[in-house]
Amino acid sequence: MAHIFIAYDFEIKQGLISDFEHAQRNQPKGIEINWPGRPEGMSQGEIWRNIVRPAIDSASRFVAYVDLPNANVGFEIGYSLSHAEGKQVALARISSAIPAWLESPPFNGFLCPYMESGKDLLRQIQSDNWFKSSARPELGKKVLLLCPPRSGANFIDLIKNKYPAWLQPPEDGWSL
């Protein structure tokens, strides 16, 4: 079964919940749609630990409505993309124009389709238009000491004495 979790700013008032409810009533077999605040969902407890995190962890797909700049929704997008290899994420909006805050990194360049109704949400859920989290890189066995040679010379000497195997970029390799 595909689990879909939807994140949104609770200040978005333009019929968003009725769109979610429409999508849930018409969800295809094998798909379960979930969002914080749904009537049959959990309504008490620490929101992140008891409601949002478990729902994101169990979801195979994550939809984030980004009409308003919301730090929690941004964090949940990042958590979803970094949590598990292959988790699928989509940004969405109910406003006709792309929100100004999506014009800058890290979200510029991401597709953010206009979702006029619950039918649009269902189309997104059934589409192949998702970002997929990448494979986690394997950790290396070495440590790279990043300390500018001019301003950090004293620190470099102290660290190199204690950890002589730590690597450093060449002195002329800094471009901070």
Side-chain angles (χ1 to χ4, degrees):
M1 174 167 294
H3 294 277
I4 313 296
F5 183 73
I6 303 170
Y8 61 101
D9 186 311
F10 294 164
E11 295 299 313
I12 300 173
K13 303 285 187 204
Q14 300 169 341
L16 199 56
I17 300 302
S18 62
D19 290 349
F20 298 167
E21 290 169 342
H22 171 84
Q24 187 178 43
R25 279 191 311 273
N26 297 287
Q27 63 193 9
K29 273 192 187 274
I31 291 180
E32 179 184 307
I33 300 172
N34 183 12
W35 66 91
R38 76 183 205 281
E40 69 277 7
M42 181 181 242
S43 62
Q44 293 185 336
E46 184 183 311
I47 291 172
W48 169 250
R49 184 180 54 197
N50 300 119
I51 299 170
V52 175
R53 184 178 180 186
I56 291 173
D57 288 348
S58 67
S60 52
R61 291 184 168 181
F62 175 83
V63 178
Y65 279 80
V66 293
D67 294 88
L68 299 172
N70 182 297
N72 289 337
V73 173
F75 174 81
E76 291 161 6
I77 293 167
Y79 180 83
S80 293
L81 286 170
S82 67
H83 175 67
E85 183 178 334
K87 188 172 293 267
Q88 299 178 358
V89 175
L91 303 184
R93 60 189 160 87
I94 59 170
S95 57
S96 58
I98 293 181
W101 75 281
L102 294 180
E103 305 281 334
S104 301
F107 296 115
N108 63 324
F110 279 72
L111 298 175
C112 185
Y114 174 50
M115 303 282 179
E116 191 172 12
S117 69
K119 289 180 182 180
D120 294 323
L121 176 57
L122 280 173
R123 267 194 292 282
Q124 171 62 46
I125 288 170
Q126 294 175 311
S127 79
D128 292 329
N129 188 18
W130 297 84
F131 303 104
K132 292 184 182 174
S133 58
S134 57
R136 292 181 181 234
E138 274 192 46
L139 294 176
K141 296 187 184 339
K142 298 180 181 179
V143 175
L144 178 61
L145 172 60
L146 297 175
C147 186
R150 288 191 187 99
S151 61
N154 293 336
F155 299 112
I156 293 171
D157 288 342
L158 289 170
I159 290 172
K160 290 300 275 183
N161 284 334
K162 189 165 184 172
Y163 304 103
W166 284 17
L167 305 173
Q168 283 184 268
E171 284 191 30
D172 61 352
W174 285 86
S175 64
L176 298 178

